[in-house]
Amino acid sequence: MNAYSPQFGLQFGERAFPDSEARPLGAGAGPAIPAGRVQIVQLRFQSLLTARLRVLFVAAIFSLVAVAALLRILYLGFAGSAPTQSSLSEQLLPPRGEITDRNGTPLARAFPAYALWYDPDAMGDGGSPLVRDPQEVAAELASIFPDMDVAETAQRLASGRAGYLRRRVLPEDANRVFELGEIALQFPQETDRHYPQGSLAAHVLGYTVEAEGGKIGMEEVLEERLSDPELRGDPVALSIDVRVQGALEDELRRGMLSTNAIGAAGIVLDVDTGEIMAMASLPEFDPNVVGAGGAPNVFNRATNGTYELGSTFKPLTVAAAIDAGVVRNLSRNWNARTVEVGNRKIRDLKPKGDVLNVPQALIYSSNTVTARVADQLGTKKMQQLLVDLNMDKRPQIELPARGKPQWPGDPDNRHTNMVIGYGHSLSVTPLHLANAYAAMVNGGVWRPATLHKLRPSEVPRGRRVFKASTSARMRQMLRMISLYGTGRSADAPGYRVGGKTGSAEKVINGRYSKTKIISTFAAAFPMDNPRYVIVAMIDEPRGTVASSFQRTAAFNAAPVVGRLVPRIGPMLGVRPDANRDVDISDLRYLVEKKDKQ
């Protein structure tokens, strides 16, 4: 019986390495092994050897890779920088902080968004970047984005230049573009800045530009705060109330459009804290659709535009005169006839007689009486008044856009001093005027305006510019203007509004225009305990049916305030009360006797 070797598949007696011809093992040996079988054995051995060599080769490759990876790990461990680590809270932080109004309503926030990017090299074959004709693709895009210009888009697609076709693409719109099947139209995801209220408070907020940060407005002012990883998780609360802001812009827009004016501005200011509850400049812009060239209409008329604000200065002049003792007896009759200074004359637009007392002069807006009061006050005290009211420098506010007051070249001139008394020859911003009126009615303390929400402990002490008794007198006379004078269209029943109109020819290239004016109404309410000042300004109003074909402030700016106060009063905690009012009993007779004449 022959034994079998499982290692080589040979029977006992067979040679592992036979010669080319089989030969017996010797005398008495078995039969000879066939040559074909020997060749099969050799092939099996060679195959096994080849397989072992391949295994060794593969193992060597893996070993080299493992050694290289180990060396790389050791290098990074000893020579490389440590991996950056971020906590879960850091990963959840927005890339830019949120801005809210004083009640927490979001005004600006960051959110993930898509953009439509054109990559002409996306196909990678050197051929046409689009499957279809650029004109056809542009038409398809315009059907998805109706405001997209077909001709301009087709030209950009045909140019072969990479770039954004659109920012802020909604996911559903991105899906529709994807269905066009154009590989060159891509959708990079990016973090975008969104303004949920649209154009509301645009001049307060400003806007952002990718890789550059905030531009104009509080976005620029708060750049460092909104970008700080340690602070950006907490929203920044502004002083404005989005409800009051919306009402202010709505009424200003109505006043501007009804008189075909080129612009308007308005401010609602807390008289005791300096907080701005609303600030608007029209026309506005939408920070959500700012293009590469920036936003249109960014000029802020409320803080950056300087204007001669006309007769709104008359109460300030009278207040300074009462403080200085120039006006002691309000019943005294002042000469109301034309004032002649050299070859110049000062007249009243609508003369009310040869003599007027001070309350009458304010109610009827007399230039001549106010000029004579300013003349007796003198240039030094008049200029000191302007300095005390901060009208010699840019308005104190956080915004970067702040206009510099334009003083006359000869403020010591007698005639110049007189006309400054009723708001001419001196150009300031509406914010300057709002601050001045707040000081005049709050007891006499001037405080800077702010767009930050203040805690009670953060309210500045301010500085006294008027006596408290003078402030009380001015509250009476401002209220009388709304009851009997040019401010009657601003009197909202129950809200005890007081204020003064102002209409002045607009200065263009250093000369007074005969056809263009600035109409302003500066007011406060409620006058028995003033809490808020409102300044409404209309830029270049025209006489229309809505304004009884008149251009002056009594017919355009004052009605804006008259409609605004009832809308915002309840929002600000001021409710109408027909049983309350400032006591004018000791002054009423001074006006009523004139009306009876």
Side-chain angles (χ1 to χ4, degrees):
M1 179 180 296
N2 294 329
Y4 179 77
S5 173
Q7 182 177 4
F8 297 103
L10 303 177
Q11 291 183 351
F12 183 80
E14 293 181 343
R15 294 184 63 183
F17 304 100
D19 296 331
S20 59
E21 293 182 358
R23 57 179 182 270
L25 296 174
I33 301 174
R37 187 167 184 177
V38 172
Q39 292 177 352
I40 293 174
V41 171
Q42 288 177 336
L43 290 174
R44 287 180 177 177
F45 180 77
Q46 290 175 356
S47 297
L48 181 61
L49 184 61
T50 300
R52 288 177 174 176
L53 289 174
R54 288 176 178 175
V55 171
L56 289 174
F57 178 75
V58 172
I61 294 298
F62 274 105
S63 298
L64 290 174
V65 172
V67 170
L70 181 60
L71 292 175
R72 178 63 176 168
I73 293 173
L74 292 175
Y75 171 78
L76 292 175
F78 290 101
S81 59
T84 58
Q85 297 181 357
S86 60
S87 64
L88 178 60
S89 61
E90 289 176 337
Q91 295 179 14
L92 294 177
L93 283 177
R96 187 176 180 86
E98 183 175 294
I99 301 176
T100 70
D101 81 336
R102 64 186 304 105
N103 300 313
T105 303
L107 298 175
R109 59 180 14 168
F111 77 106
Y114 293 97
L116 179 56
W117 175 266
Y118 177 52
D119 182 8
D121 299 324
M123 300 286 279
D125 58 0
S128 174
L130 298 173
V131 176
R132 290 177 288 176
D133 182 75
Q135 187 71 29
E136 183 180 353
V137 175
E140 293 283 357
L141 291 175
S143 67
I144 301 172
F145 309 108
D147 59 336
M148 183 175 284
D149 185 87
V150 176
E152 180 181 349
T153 304
Q155 184 178 3
R156 293 188 61 183
L157 295 174
S159 68
R161 294 193 304 269
Y164 285 105
L165 296 179
R166 193 176 185 87
R167 311 296 289 270
R168 296 184 176 92
V169 176
L170 296 174
E172 54 266 31
D173 291 334
N175 290 333
R176 293 178 62 187
V177 176
F178 181 77
E179 292 173 356
L180 298 180
E182 295 289 351
I183 299 177
L185 300 179
Q186 301 176 354
F187 309 96
Q189 190 169 7
E190 56 189 12
T191 300
D192 202 358
R193 192 68 166 168
H194 180 57
Y195 300 89
Q197 311 303 327
S199 62
L200 195 70
H203 289 87
V204 172
L205 294 172
Y207 60 92
T208 58
V209 175
E210 188 178 4
E212 295 184 26
K215 293 290 184 181
I216 76 171
M218 295 303 285
E219 287 278 26
E220 179 178 349
V221 174
L222 299 171
E223 175 64 31
E224 184 175 345
R225 166 69 173 78
L226 297 173
S227 304
D228 191 332
E230 296 183 1
L231 300 175
R232 66 176 186 244
D234 298 322
V236 178
L238 301 185
S239 61
I240 66 173
D241 186 319
V242 71
R243 303 168 300 170
V244 180
Q245 181 73 31
L248 175 63
E249 292 191 18
D250 185 41
E251 293 299 342
L252 280 176
R253 187 177 298 105
R254 177 179 173 183
M256 181 182 74
L257 296 177
S258 65
T259 58
N260 295 328
I262 65 169
I267 298 168
V268 180
L269 179 72
D270 188 314
V271 303
D272 293 320
T273 66
E275 292 173 288
I276 293 177
M277 311 304 293
M279 176 187 288
S281 177
L282 300 179
E284 73 277 46
F285 64 92
D286 188 347
N288 287 309
V289 293
V290 175
N297 304 321
V298 296
F299 184 76
N300 190 341
R301 286 177 164 84
T303 65
N304 204 19
T306 57
Y307 312 92
E308 293 188 9
L309 297 177
S311 297
T312 57
F313 267 57
K314 291 174 181 175
L316 300 174
T317 301
V318 170
I322 293 175
D323 262 4
V326 172
V327 175
R328 296 178 182 272
N329 182 5
L330 294 179
S331 64
R332 171 192 167 186
N333 286 326
W334 289 72
N335 185 354
R337 291 188 291 269
T338 298
V339 178
E340 295 185 12
V341 182
N343 60 351
R344 298 180 179 181
K345 296 182 179 181
I346 298 174
R347 299 182 177 88
D348 283 339
L349 181 62
K350 296 180 179 180
K352 290 293 183 177
D354 292 339
V355 294
L356 294 172
N357 57 47
V358 167
Q360 291 170 341
L362 290 178
I363 289 172
Y364 303 129
S365 197
S366 172
N367 295 338
T368 57
V369 171
T370 308
R372 288 185 168 96
V373 171
D375 190 34
Q376 290 196 22
L377 181 64
T379 59
K380 290 185 178 180
K381 289 183 179 179
M382 176 63 77
Q383 292 173 33
Q384 186 59 51
L385 168 68
L386 301 176
V387 171
D388 289 343
L389 295 175
N390 226 48
M391 291 185 179
D392 61 329
K393 55 180 68 73
R394 299 179 190 275
Q396 197 163 333
I397 188 69
E398 292 84 359
L399 297 179
R402 297 175 297 129
K404 183 178 180 180
Q406 304 299 312
W407 278 46
D410 55 347
D412 294 329
N413 178 272
R414 184 184 177 200
H415 178 269
T416 300
N417 185 65
M418 286 182 171
V419 298
I420 287 177
Y422 58 88
H424 287 68
S425 293
L426 173 69
S427 297
V428 297
T429 69
L431 182 57
H432 280 111
L433 185 64
N435 278 129
Y437 266 62
M440 185 169 57
V441 302
N442 71 3
V445 178
W446 185 93
R447 292 184 179 88
T450 181
L451 282 166
H452 287 294
K453 181 181 179 181
L454 300 180
R455 294 188 291 268
S457 60
E458 297 174 332
V459 176
R461 295 185 62 180
R463 63 173 182 268
R464 180 162 296 281
V465 294
F466 298 114
K467 297 176 182 177
S469 59
T470 299
S471 178
R473 275 300 188 196
M474 297 313 301
R475 292 198 293 269
Q476 289 179 299
M477 287 188 277
L478 287 172
R479 177 63 177 140
M480 292 172 70
I481 295 171
S482 292
L483 289 174
Y484 305 110
T486 56
R488 280 176 291 186
S489 56
D491 185 28
Y495 287 97
R496 296 92 74 195
V497 178
K500 183 70 185 78
T501 54
S503 305
E505 293 174 337
K506 195 171 183 180
V507 179
I508 300 177
N509 298 325
R511 301 178 65 88
Y512 286 106
S513 171
K514 298 298 182 182
T515 59
K516 300 176 180 179
I517 69 170
I518 294 290
S519 296
T520 310
F521 189 72
F525 77 101
M527 290 309 296
D528 53 313
N529 182 24
R531 292 184 56 189
Y532 300 99
V533 158
I534 301 175
V535 171
M537 187 198 78
I538 308 295
D539 191 351
E540 296 186 20
R542 298 180 181 178
T544 63
V545 173
S547 63
S548 302
F549 298 101
Q550 301 293 321
R551 298 184 301 156
T552 55
F555 297 91
N556 45 55
V560 168
V561 175
R563 294 189 300 266
L564 178 64
V565 170
R567 292 184 62 176
I568 67 175
M571 301 174 187
L572 297 172
V574 180
R575 299 191 178 277
D577 188 345
N579 297 318
R580 297 182 59 184
D581 210 334
V582 61
D583 184 9
I584 60 172
S585 59
D586 60 332
L587 298 180
R588 184 181 291 113
Y589 80 97
L590 296 176
V591 178
E592 291 179 344
K593 71 176 183 179
K594 186 70 176 180
D595 291 337
K596 293 177 181 178
Q597 293 176 356

mmCIF file of all heavy atoms in Angstrom, residues 515-551:
data_model
loop_
_atom_site.group_PDB
_atom_site.id
_atom_site.type_symbol
_atom_site.label_atom_id
_atom_site.label_comp_id
_atom_site.label_asym_id
_atom_site.label_seq_id
_atom_site.Cartn_x
_atom_site.Cartn_y
_atom_site.Cartn_z
ATOM 1 N N THR A 515 -37.949 129.159 -4.397
ATOM 2 C CA THR A 515 -38.983 128.168 -4.700
ATOM 3 C C THR A 515 -38.905 126.923 -3.826
ATOM 4 O O THR A 515 -39.824 126.111 -3.846
ATOM 5 C CB THR A 515 -38.883 127.739 -6.169
ATOM 6 O OG1 THR A 515 -37.581 127.184 -6.418
ATOM 7 C CG2 THR A 515 -39.102 128.929 -7.090
ATOM 8 N N LYS A 516 -37.822 126.763 -3.053
ATOM 9 C CA LYS A 516 -37.642 125.550 -2.265
ATOM 10 C C LYS A 516 -37.491 125.916 -0.788
ATOM 11 O O LYS A 516 -36.702 126.791 -0.442
ATOM 12 C CB LYS A 516 -36.411 124.779 -2.743
ATOM 13 C CG LYS A 516 -36.496 124.356 -4.205
ATOM 14 C CD LYS A 516 -35.231 123.690 -4.672
ATOM 15 C CE LYS A 516 -35.331 123.283 -6.142
ATOM 16 N NZ LYS A 516 -34.079 122.643 -6.635
ATOM 17 N N ILE A 517 -38.257 125.231 0.049
ATOM 18 C CA ILE A 517 -38.216 125.517 1.474
ATOM 19 C C ILE A 517 -38.059 124.234 2.292
ATOM 20 O O ILE A 517 -38.248 123.123 1.785
ATOM 21 C CB ILE A 517 -39.481 126.269 1.953
ATOM 22 C CG1 ILE A 517 -40.709 125.355 1.890
ATOM 23 C CG2 ILE A 517 -39.705 127.532 1.150
ATOM 24 C CD1 ILE A 517 -41.933 125.949 2.560
ATOM 25 N N ILE A 518 -37.711 124.405 3.562
ATOM 26 C CA ILE A 518 -37.699 123.331 4.556
ATOM 27 C C ILE A 518 -38.810 123.635 5.552
ATOM 28 O O ILE A 518 -38.857 124.720 6.136
ATOM 29 C CB ILE A 518 -36.344 123.263 5.292
ATOM 30 C CG1 ILE A 518 -35.231 122.869 4.325
ATOM 31 C CG2 ILE A 518 -36.416 122.294 6.460
ATOM 32 C CD1 ILE A 518 -35.307 121.429 3.838
ATOM 33 N N SER A 519 -39.736 122.698 5.733
ATOM 34 C CA SER A 519 -40.845 122.874 6.673
ATOM 35 C C SER A 519 -40.643 121.939 7.865
ATOM 36 O O SER A 519 -40.424 120.737 7.678
ATOM 37 C CB SER A 519 -42.182 122.564 5.992
ATOM 38 O OG SER A 519 -42.437 123.494 4.956
ATOM 39 N N THR A 520 -40.733 122.497 9.054
ATOM 40 C CA THR A 520 -40.442 121.726 10.264
ATOM 41 C C THR A 520 -41.483 122.000 11.338
ATOM 42 O O THR A 520 -41.984 123.126 11.461
ATOM 43 C CB THR A 520 -39.054 122.092 10.819
ATOM 44 O OG1 THR A 520 -38.088 122.030 9.765
ATOM 45 C CG2 THR A 520 -38.640 121.153 11.931
ATOM 46 N N PHE A 521 -41.799 120.981 12.107
ATOM 47 C CA PHE A 521 -42.601 121.162 13.311
ATOM 48 C C PHE A 521 -41.906 120.429 14.446
ATOM 49 O O PHE A 521 -41.645 119.226 14.361
ATOM 50 C CB PHE A 521 -44.022 120.638 13.134
ATOM 51 C CG PHE A 521 -44.934 121.010 14.278
ATOM 52 C CD1 PHE A 521 -45.362 122.315 14.437
ATOM 53 C CD2 PHE A 521 -45.363 120.063 15.200
ATOM 54 C CE1 PHE A 521 -46.194 122.676 15.493
ATOM 55 C CE2 PHE A 521 -46.191 120.413 16.251
ATOM 56 C CZ PHE A 521 -46.610 121.724 16.402
ATOM 57 N N ALA A 522 -41.589 121.191 15.518
ATOM 58 C CA ALA A 522 -40.959 120.617 16.707
ATOM 59 C C ALA A 522 -41.980 120.666 17.830
ATOM 60 O O ALA A 522 -42.548 121.728 18.119
ATOM 61 C CB ALA A 522 -39.701 121.401 17.082
ATOM 62 N N ALA A 523 -42.224 119.526 18.473
ATOM 63 C CA ALA A 523 -43.310 119.436 19.450
ATOM 64 C C ALA A 523 -42.908 118.551 20.619
ATOM 65 O O ALA A 523 -41.904 117.829 20.580
ATOM 66 C CB ALA A 523 -44.567 118.879 18.779
ATOM 67 N N ALA A 524 -43.738 118.603 21.657
ATOM 68 C CA ALA A 524 -43.582 117.722 22.812
ATOM 69 C C ALA A 524 -44.972 117.348 23.314
ATOM 70 O O ALA A 524 -45.950 118.075 23.067
ATOM 71 C CB ALA A 524 -42.779 118.402 23.915
ATOM 72 N N PHE A 525 -45.061 116.211 23.996
ATOM 73 C CA PHE A 525 -46.336 115.795 24.581
ATOM 74 C C PHE A 525 -46.071 114.823 25.737
ATOM 75 O O PHE A 525 -45.045 114.156 25.737
ATOM 76 C CB PHE A 525 -47.247 115.165 23.508
ATOM 77 C CG PHE A 525 -46.872 113.738 23.136
ATOM 78 C CD1 PHE A 525 -47.584 112.654 23.650
ATOM 79 C CD2 PHE A 525 -45.805 113.477 22.273
ATOM 80 C CE1 PHE A 525 -47.241 111.356 23.312
ATOM 81 C CE2 PHE A 525 -45.469 112.180 21.921
ATOM 82 C CZ PHE A 525 -46.191 111.108 22.447
ATOM 83 N N PRO A 526 -47.004 114.738 26.699
ATOM 84 C CA PRO A 526 -48.074 115.697 26.990
ATOM 85 C C PRO A 526 -47.486 116.906 27.718
ATOM 86 O O PRO A 526 -46.613 116.755 28.571
ATOM 87 C CB PRO A 526 -49.008 114.893 27.907
ATOM 88 C CG PRO A 526 -48.102 113.920 28.598
ATOM 89 C CD PRO A 526 -47.013 113.588 27.616
ATOM 90 N N MET A 527 -47.952 118.096 27.419
ATOM 91 C CA MET A 527 -47.285 119.299 27.892
ATOM 92 C C MET A 527 -47.415 119.524 29.392
ATOM 93 O O MET A 527 -46.648 120.289 29.981
ATOM 94 C CB MET A 527 -47.809 120.521 27.141
ATOM 95 C CG MET A 527 -47.384 120.576 25.686
ATOM 96 S SD MET A 527 -45.608 120.378 25.416
ATOM 97 C CE MET A 527 -44.968 121.820 26.241
ATOM 98 N N ASP A 528 -48.370 118.891 30.046
ATOM 99 C CA ASP A 528 -48.459 119.035 31.493
ATOM 100 C C ASP A 528 -47.384 118.209 32.200
ATOM 101 O O ASP A 528 -47.038 118.488 33.352
ATOM 102 C CB ASP A 528 -49.848 118.627 31.998
ATOM 103 C CG ASP A 528 -50.244 117.240 31.516
ATOM 104 O OD1 ASP A 528 -50.082 116.967 30.309
ATOM 105 O OD2 ASP A 528 -50.717 116.432 32.335
ATOM 106 N N ASN A 529 -46.836 117.227 31.514
ATOM 107 C CA ASN A 529 -45.721 116.429 32.036
ATOM 108 C C ASN A 529 -44.986 115.829 30.846
ATOM 109 O O ASN A 529 -45.112 114.636 30.546
ATOM 110 C CB ASN A 529 -46.226 115.324 32.971
ATOM 111 C CG ASN A 529 -45.084 114.518 33.576
ATOM 112 O OD1 ASN A 529 -43.951 114.989 33.680
ATOM 113 N ND2 ASN A 529 -45.378 113.277 33.955
ATOM 114 N N PRO A 530 -44.201 116.647 30.148
ATOM 115 C CA PRO A 530 -43.614 116.197 28.869
ATOM 116 C C PRO A 530 -42.764 114.943 29.010
ATOM 117 O O PRO A 530 -41.931 114.830 29.913
ATOM 118 C CB PRO A 530 -42.754 117.392 28.449
ATOM 119 C CG PRO A 530 -43.344 118.555 29.158
ATOM 120 C CD PRO A 530 -43.829 118.015 30.477
ATOM 121 N N ARG A 531 -42.997 114.022 28.084
ATOM 122 C CA ARG A 531 -42.218 112.787 28.069
ATOM 123 C C ARG A 531 -41.476 112.578 26.756
ATOM 124 O O ARG A 531 -40.420 111.950 26.747
ATOM 125 C CB ARG A 531 -43.140 111.591 28.342
ATOM 126 C CG ARG A 531 -43.691 111.572 29.756
ATOM 127 C CD ARG A 531 -44.506 110.325 30.021
ATOM 128 N NE ARG A 531 -43.733 109.122 29.748
ATOM 129 C CZ ARG A 531 -44.268 107.891 29.732
ATOM 130 N NH1 ARG A 531 -45.554 107.713 29.952
ATOM 131 N NH2 ARG A 531 -43.497 106.847 29.476
ATOM 132 N N TYR A 532 -42.035 113.089 25.669
ATOM 133 C CA TYR A 532 -41.410 112.847 24.373
ATOM 134 C C TYR A 532 -41.430 114.104 23.511
ATOM 135 O O TYR A 532 -42.397 114.871 23.531
ATOM 136 C CB TYR A 532 -42.112 111.711 23.625
ATOM 137 C CG TYR A 532 -42.076 110.407 24.387
ATOM 138 C CD1 TYR A 532 -43.175 109.998 25.145
ATOM 139 C CD2 TYR A 532 -40.937 109.619 24.389
ATOM 140 C CE1 TYR A 532 -43.139 108.817 25.866
ATOM 141 C CE2 TYR A 532 -40.888 108.431 25.116
ATOM 142 C CZ TYR A 532 -41.995 108.047 25.856
ATOM 143 O OH TYR A 532 -41.948 106.889 26.583
ATOM 144 N N VAL A 533 -40.350 114.283 22.785
ATOM 145 C CA VAL A 533 -40.242 115.344 21.788
ATOM 146 C C VAL A 533 -40.338 114.709 20.410
ATOM 147 O O VAL A 533 -39.802 113.619 20.175
ATOM 148 C CB VAL A 533 -38.904 116.111 21.933
ATOM 149 C CG1 VAL A 533 -38.528 116.811 20.627
ATOM 150 C CG2 VAL A 533 -39.010 117.146 23.051
ATOM 151 N N ILE A 534 -41.025 115.386 19.507
ATOM 152 C CA ILE A 534 -41.127 114.929 18.121
ATOM 153 C C ILE A 534 -40.674 116.065 17.213
ATOM 154 O O ILE A 534 -41.116 117.205 17.375
ATOM 155 C CB ILE A 534 -42.569 114.537 17.746
ATOM 156 C CG1 ILE A 534 -43.072 113.421 18.650
ATOM 157 C CG2 ILE A 534 -42.635 114.096 16.282
ATOM 158 C CD1 ILE A 534 -44.533 113.069 18.409
ATOM 159 N N VAL A 535 -39.808 115.752 16.269
ATOM 160 C CA VAL A 535 -39.431 116.699 15.224
ATOM 161 C C VAL A 535 -39.782 116.057 13.883
ATOM 162 O O VAL A 535 -39.353 114.932 13.594
ATOM 163 C CB VAL A 535 -37.930 117.045 15.270
ATOM 164 C CG1 VAL A 535 -37.539 117.863 14.043
ATOM 165 C CG2 VAL A 535 -37.606 117.827 16.538
ATOM 166 N N ALA A 536 -40.588 116.749 13.100
ATOM 167 C CA ALA A 536 -40.942 116.281 11.755
ATOM 168 C C ALA A 536 -40.520 117.347 10.754
ATOM 169 O O ALA A 536 -40.867 118.521 10.903
ATOM 170 C CB ALA A 536 -42.442 116.025 11.648
ATOM 171 N N MET A 537 -39.754 116.946 9.754
ATOM 172 C CA MET A 537 -39.244 117.871 8.750
ATOM 173 C C MET A 537 -39.582 117.378 7.345
ATOM 174 O O MET A 537 -39.394 116.189 7.048
ATOM 175 C CB MET A 537 -37.729 118.025 8.878
ATOM 176 C CG MET A 537 -37.130 119.090 7.980
ATOM 177 S SD MET A 537 -35.338 118.879 7.778
ATOM 178 C CE MET A 537 -35.292 117.528 6.584
ATOM 179 N N ILE A 538 -40.100 118.269 6.501
ATOM 180 C CA ILE A 538 -40.413 117.949 5.107
ATOM 181 C C ILE A 538 -39.475 118.756 4.221
ATOM 182 O O ILE A 538 -39.390 119.984 4.341
ATOM 183 C CB ILE A 538 -41.878 118.283 4.764
ATOM 184 C CG1 ILE A 538 -42.841 117.642 5.765
ATOM 185 C CG2 ILE A 538 -42.197 117.822 3.350
ATOM 186 C CD1 ILE A 538 -42.843 116.138 5.754
ATOM 187 N N ASP A 539 -38.764 118.056 3.341
ATOM 188 C CA ASP A 539 -37.763 118.684 2.483
ATOM 189 C C ASP A 539 -38.369 119.030 1.122
ATOM 190 O O ASP A 539 -38.770 118.157 0.357
ATOM 191 C CB ASP A 539 -36.580 117.717 2.310
ATOM 192 C CG ASP A 539 -35.368 118.376 1.662
ATOM 193 O OD1 ASP A 539 -35.501 119.530 1.199
ATOM 194 O OD2 ASP A 539 -34.296 117.743 1.624
ATOM 195 N N GLU A 540 -38.460 120.325 0.838
ATOM 196 C CA GLU A 540 -38.979 120.870 -0.420
ATOM 197 C C GLU A 540 -40.419 120.436 -0.706
ATOM 198 O O GLU A 540 -40.728 119.863 -1.752
ATOM 199 C CB GLU A 540 -38.080 120.480 -1.600
ATOM 200 C CG GLU A 540 -36.674 121.050 -1.530
ATOM 201 C CD GLU A 540 -35.859 120.770 -2.783
ATOM 202 O OE1 GLU A 540 -36.489 120.486 -3.835
ATOM 203 O OE2 GLU A 540 -34.616 120.826 -2.713
ATOM 204 N N PRO A 541 -41.344 120.714 0.221
ATOM 205 C CA PRO A 541 -42.762 120.417 -0.072
ATOM 206 C C PRO A 541 -43.307 121.382 -1.120
ATOM 207 O O PRO A 541 -42.815 122.502 -1.283
ATOM 208 C CB PRO A 541 -43.436 120.642 1.282
ATOM 209 C CG PRO A 541 -42.580 121.679 1.948
ATOM 210 C CD PRO A 541 -41.166 121.374 1.523
ATOM 211 N N ARG A 542 -44.328 120.940 -1.813
ATOM 212 C CA ARG A 542 -45.009 121.780 -2.801
ATOM 213 C C ARG A 542 -46.462 121.942 -2.384
ATOM 214 O O ARG A 542 -47.043 121.092 -1.702
ATOM 215 C CB ARG A 542 -44.926 121.148 -4.192
ATOM 216 C CG ARG A 542 -43.502 120.988 -4.705
ATOM 217 C CD ARG A 542 -43.489 120.355 -6.077
ATOM 218 N NE ARG A 542 -42.138 120.159 -6.578
ATOM 219 C CZ ARG A 542 -41.846 119.589 -7.738
ATOM 220 N NH1 ARG A 542 -42.820 119.162 -8.535
ATOM 221 N NH2 ARG A 542 -40.587 119.439 -8.115
ATOM 222 N N GLY A 543 -47.041 123.030 -2.802
ATOM 223 C CA GLY A 543 -48.446 123.260 -2.511
ATOM 224 C C GLY A 543 -49.320 122.323 -3.317
ATOM 225 O O GLY A 543 -49.298 122.346 -4.551
ATOM 226 N N THR A 544 -50.066 121.484 -2.634
ATOM 227 C CA THR A 544 -50.950 120.519 -3.295
ATOM 228 C C THR A 544 -52.333 120.601 -2.663
ATOM 229 O O THR A 544 -52.561 121.329 -1.695
ATOM 230 C CB THR A 544 -50.410 119.080 -3.147
ATOM 231 O OG1 THR A 544 -50.382 118.727 -1.746
ATOM 232 C CG2 THR A 544 -49.016 118.952 -3.722
ATOM 233 N N VAL A 545 -53.249 119.832 -3.209
ATOM 234 C CA VAL A 545 -54.605 119.802 -2.656
ATOM 235 C C VAL A 545 -54.562 119.345 -1.201
ATOM 236 O O VAL A 545 -55.274 119.873 -0.340
ATOM 237 C CB VAL A 545 -55.504 118.875 -3.498
ATOM 238 C CG1 VAL A 545 -56.871 118.706 -2.840
ATOM 239 C CG2 VAL A 545 -55.648 119.415 -4.916
ATOM 240 N N ALA A 546 -53.689 118.351 -0.918
ATOM 241 C CA ALA A 546 -53.597 117.815 0.440
ATOM 242 C C ALA A 546 -53.118 118.862 1.439
ATOM 243 O O ALA A 546 -53.443 118.793 2.623
ATOM 244 C CB ALA A 546 -52.665 116.603 0.462
ATOM 245 N N SER A 547 -52.332 119.844 0.990
ATOM 246 C CA SER A 547 -51.816 120.880 1.889
ATOM 247 C C SER A 547 -52.486 122.225 1.648
ATOM 248 O O SER A 547 -51.914 123.274 1.976
ATOM 249 C CB SER A 547 -50.307 121.017 1.706
ATOM 250 O OG SER A 547 -49.981 121.439 0.390
ATOM 251 N N SER A 548 -53.687 122.190 1.086
ATOM 252 C CA SER A 548 -54.439 123.425 0.791
ATOM 253 C C SER A 548 -53.619 124.385 -0.066
ATOM 254 O O SER A 548 -53.728 125.600 0.066
ATOM 255 C CB SER A 548 -54.869 124.106 2.104
ATOM 256 O OG SER A 548 -55.660 123.247 2.888
ATOM 257 N N PHE A 549 -52.786 123.812 -0.906
ATOM 258 C CA PHE A 549 -51.928 124.569 -1.825
ATOM 259 C C PHE A 549 -50.969 125.504 -1.085
ATOM 260 O O PHE A 549 -50.551 126.528 -1.607
ATOM 261 C CB PHE A 549 -52.783 125.356 -2.837
ATOM 262 C CG PHE A 549 -53.609 124.469 -3.706
ATOM 263 C CD1 PHE A 549 -54.960 124.278 -3.439
ATOM 264 C CD2 PHE A 549 -53.039 123.799 -4.777
ATOM 265 C CE1 PHE A 549 -55.732 123.440 -4.241
ATOM 266 C CE2 PHE A 549 -53.797 122.964 -5.578
ATOM 267 C CZ PHE A 549 -55.143 122.783 -5.317
ATOM 268 N N GLN A 550 -50.629 125.111 0.153
ATOM 269 C CA GLN A 550 -49.674 125.861 0.958
ATOM 270 C C GLN A 550 -48.405 125.023 1.160
ATOM 271 O O GLN A 550 -48.469 123.786 1.227
ATOM 272 C CB GLN A 550 -50.277 126.221 2.318
ATOM 273 C CG GLN A 550 -51.536 127.051 2.245
ATOM 274 C CD GLN A 550 -51.275 128.442 1.706
ATOM 275 O OE1 GLN A 550 -50.264 129.068 2.011
ATOM 276 N NE2 GLN A 550 -52.197 128.933 0.885
ATOM 277 N N ARG A 551 -47.266 125.699 1.283
ATOM 278 C CA ARG A 551 -46.001 124.986 1.470
ATOM 279 C C ARG A 551 -45.485 125.082 2.897
ATOM 280 O O ARG A 551 -44.543 124.370 3.257
ATOM 281 C CB ARG A 551 -44.934 125.537 0.531
ATOM 282 C CG ARG A 551 -45.235 125.375 -0.947
ATOM 283 C CD ARG A 551 -44.049 125.874 -1.769
ATOM 284 N NE ARG A 551 -43.749 127.274 -1.491
ATOM 285 C CZ ARG A 551 -42.555 127.844 -1.671
ATOM 286 N NH1 ARG A 551 -41.539 127.102 -2.104
ATOM 287 N NH2 ARG A 551 -42.369 129.136 -1.419
#
